[in-house]
Amino acid sequence: MSNDAIRLRSLTRRYRSGGASVTALDQVSLAFPTGTFTAVMGPSGSGKSTLLQCAAGLDRPASGSVTVGDTELTGLSETKLTLLRRERIGFVFQAFNLLPSLTAEQNVALPLRMAGRRPRKTQVREVLDQVGLGDRTRHRPTQLSGGQQQRVALARALITRPDVLFGDEPTGALDSGTSREVLTLLRGMVDRDAQTIIMVTHDPVAASYADRVVFLVDGRVNDELIGACAEDIASRMTRLEAAPC
Ligand code: ADP
C-alpha cells in the first residue's frame, strides 16, 4: 500500500480551441502523501484549474492516470466516478457555493443526503464544531460573514471524511485577517487529523501555510519549494511571471 493519498502519472489534457489544440497539462506526474498540504501556483493559463479538475475526477485527461488511494480513476464509469467524488473527495471554492435557503447544518448535511444517507445530528454538529461554528448551526449563509460561510463550506467538504480536500482559491474572496483564520484551520486539519489538502492559490501568504508549493508553467511542473516563507514564494512567482514564453 502506498502512503500517497493521491497520485498523478503523466497527466495530459488538451483542449480544442477553434481549430487549434491547447495542451493545458503536459505529462504532469505528482504524488501527494497522506497528511500533507500542497499549494499549486503558476501564472494565469498555466494549467492549475485543469490539474485540480482532473485530479478531483471532474474532468477526464487525454492520457495518464489519477489514483486516489488504491483506486485508479481512469476507466471508472461516470456512476462510479460520481460515487468516488461524493465519498472520497472534498472541494471548497472561492465563492463558497452554499445553498442560501438552507441553514449551516442543512448545508453541511447535504453531501450525506445526496448519497442517500441519513446524517446524524451529532455528526453534523461535530464537524461544525471542528470549524468553530458550533454556535451558528441554524444560521443561513446571508446571516454569516464571508469567513464563516467558508467555514461552513469546509465543514460540508469534510462531513464525508474525504481522502483529499481540494481548494480552488478558497481564500480568494476573504480579507487577509479572515484568510489567515481559514488557513490556520486548514493547517490544523493536516497536522491534527492527517487530512490531505491540495489548494490552488495566487497568494504567496496562503501558499506559505502549505508544506510544499508546486509551480506550474505551460502545463508542466516547473519547480517546487518545500517549507518556504511567503517572501520566497512571492519572488519565485515574480520570476516565473517575468520569464519569456
Ligand atoms: P489556470 O488555472 O492556471 O489559469 P487553466 O487550467 O484554466 O489555467 O488553463 C490552462 C490552458 O488551457 C490555458 O491555455 C487555457 O486557455 C486553456 N483552457 C482551459 N479551459 C479551456 C476550455 N474549456 N477550452 C479551451 N481551452 C481551455
Side-chain angles (χ1 to χ4, degrees):
M1 262 267 298
S2 138
N3 188 32
D4 295 328
I6 179 163
R7 247 168 301 128
L8 316 179
R9 283 203 199 92
S10 251
L11 210 57
T12 298
R13 173 70 164 105
R14 295 186 198 90
Y15 291 107
R16 295 229 143 267
S17 181
S21 167
V22 177
T23 305
L25 287 181
D26 191 2
Q27 308 224 354
V28 170
S29 294
L30 285 167
F32 301 91
T34 299
T36 60
F37 188 173
T38 306
V40 180
M41 299 188 84
S44 178
S46 59
K48 303 181 294 294
S49 303
T50 306
L51 179 105
L52 222 58
Q53 300 273 322
C54 287
L58 291 162
D59 189 7
R60 290 197 187 258
S63 59
S65 68
V66 176
T67 311
V68 174
D70 289 332
T71 312
E72 191 175 321
L73 269 51
T74 338
L76 285 186
S77 66
E78 275 309 319
T79 313
K80 289 210 163 132
L81 199 55
T82 303
L83 282 179
L84 179 132
R85 275 202 310 265
R86 211 178 262 167
E87 301 192 340
R88 297 178 57 188
I89 283 170
F91 225 114
V92 280
F93 306 90
Q94 179 170 351
F96 320 137
N97 296 4
L98 299 174
L99 292 184
S101 60
L102 301 185
T103 64
E105 61 186 358
Q106 288 168 338
N107 265 290
V108 171
L110 206 57
L112 294 181
R113 289 200 184 281
M114 282 172 66
R117 288 195 256 156
R118 209 190 151 86
R120 280 179 295 111
K121 240 195 166 65
T122 48
Q123 188 182 5
V124 174
R125 288 283 162 101
E126 224 169 79
V127 72
L128 276 166
D129 273 340
Q130 202 185 330
V131 297
L133 283 182
D135 57 346
R136 297 282 193 283
T137 56
R138 300 279 168 82
H139 288 58
R140 288 179 213 286
T142 50
Q143 300 170 305
L144 297 168
S145 69
Q148 289 169 335
Q149 289 183 55
Q150 192 58 303
R151 284 162 187 251
V152 175
L154 259 177
R156 180 182 57 183
L158 292 171
I159 189 88
T160 57
R161 301 185 174 278
D163 292 21
V164 187
L165 176 66
F166 289 97
D168 193 355
E169 296 275 1
T171 56
L174 305 176
D175 62 62
S176 62
T178 313
S179 266
R180 277 166 210 262
E181 282 171 27
V182 169
L183 289 160
T184 303
L185 206 56
L186 293 175
R187 185 69 245 174
M189 287 165 188
V190 175
D191 294 337
R192 199 184 46 242
D193 309 324
Q195 179 67 55
T196 307
I197 300 182
I198 304 173
M199 169 181 80
V200 164
T201 184
H202 282 104
D203 176 9
V205 174
S208 71
Y209 283 75
D211 301 298
R212 170 172 70 143
V213 187
V214 172
F215 295 91
L216 292 183
V217 176
D218 294 336
R220 292 175 186 232
V221 176
N222 177 280
D223 199 2
E224 57 178 61
L225 289 175
I226 310 279
C229 64
E231 290 72 26
D232 290 350
I233 297 168
S235 67
R236 188 64 57 102
M237 267 308 291
T238 307
R239 254 186 286 154
L240 288 182
E241 280 171 334
C245 295

